Amino acid sequence: MRKLLRRPSPAMVVACLALLVALGGTSIAAVNQLVPRNSVGTAQLRNNAVSTAKLRNSAVTGAKVRNRSLRRADFAPGQLPAGPTGPQGPAGPAGPAGPAGPAGVIGAITVRNGQTTVASNPTDGFYVTARVQRMCEGNERAISAGTSWSDDDPNLELFTGEIEPLLNPQNQVVGFVAVGGNDSGQSSTFRIHVLCYTPSG
């Protein structure tokens, strides 16, 4: 035997709707009671919970920034103005060059001589060499040097190999040394001539 379902009456529909509205309002009220207005503070926020994307544009203003908390690295290049000029003021242009000082005075030059005898090997083409040096005297300084041989015949095989300055511990030239070679077939005197002067002052 089939049972026929009865259609709800309008009064029943109105009663059900009223019940749903009442239950919904109770839920909203319960939520409002759990999180009342202005109840979320610093203690309720988890560390690092608020990200940059959650901040509204222009929400952070100067009033929200603690005084003296920003550093130079927080600003873009060129944003910070240059500091004031120091008490000495800006540097001025370079002044003109002064006049040249007087030339130094060397004074009298004394030639100091030194010599040595250089033998000759009888075998042609084999030079015998010797060194000779000459120091200046006292507090003199040397400015140049030269060499010569006791035999000035251009056909004799005599030569000067090198001339080098001699320095004191203060790196000042106080003499010279020279090397001479002889293949003339006879002994000859090799001389060095050092130009010395006494510095003024």
Side-chain angles (χ1 to χ4, degrees):
M1 180 174 171
R2 176 182 297 180
K3 258 186 178 181
L4 295 177
L5 296 176
R6 297 180 60 187
R7 204 181 269 181
S9 65
M12 179 65 71
V13 172
V14 171
C16 290
L17 290 176
L19 178 62
L20 289 175
V21 170
L23 292 176
T26 303
S27 299
I28 294 173
V31 172
N32 287 336
Q33 288 178 359
L34 290 176
V35 186
R37 184 183 298 274
N38 298 326
S39 64
V40 177
T42 303
Q44 283 72 36
L45 291 178
R46 190 178 64 221
N47 291 340
N48 302 320
V50 180
S51 63
T52 303
K54 298 298 183 181
L55 294 177
R56 187 180 63 194
N57 292 339
S58 303
V60 179
T61 63
K64 304 296 183 182
V65 178
R66 189 176 62 190
N67 292 338
R68 299 179 180 84
S69 64
L70 298 180
R71 300 178 180 273
R72 181 181 294 272
D74 298 319
F75 296 88
Q79 293 300 308
L80 294 179
T85 304
Q88 300 297 330
V105 179
I106 291 181
I109 294 177
T110 303
V111 179
R112 305 294 183 186
N113 300 305
Q115 64 181 39
T116 186
T117 300
V118 184
S120 177
N121 195 295
T123 303
D124 188 45
F126 185 82
Y127 282 87
V128 176
T129 60
R131 299 168 65 89
V132 61
Q133 74 175 33
R134 184 64 167 92
M135 305 290 290
C136 294
E137 298 179 359
N139 63 340
E140 294 177 340
R141 305 288 183 268
I143 58 173
S144 184
T147 62
S148 65
W149 291 87
S150 58
D151 301 297
D152 58 0
D153 187 339
N155 295 320
L156 297 177
E157 297 183 52
L158 304 167
F159 76 94
T160 299
E162 61 180 273
I163 300 179
E164 297 180 0
L166 299 173
L167 307 177
N168 64 7
Q170 290 73 41
N171 208 36
Q172 298 166 331
V173 181
V174 291
F176 280 86
V177 59
V179 176
N182 183 8
D183 190 32
S184 65
Q186 62 187 33
S187 296
S188 185
T189 301
F190 180 55
R191 302 189 183 97
I192 186 170
H193 315 283
V194 180
L195 279 62
C196 301
Y197 73 99
T198 301
S200 58

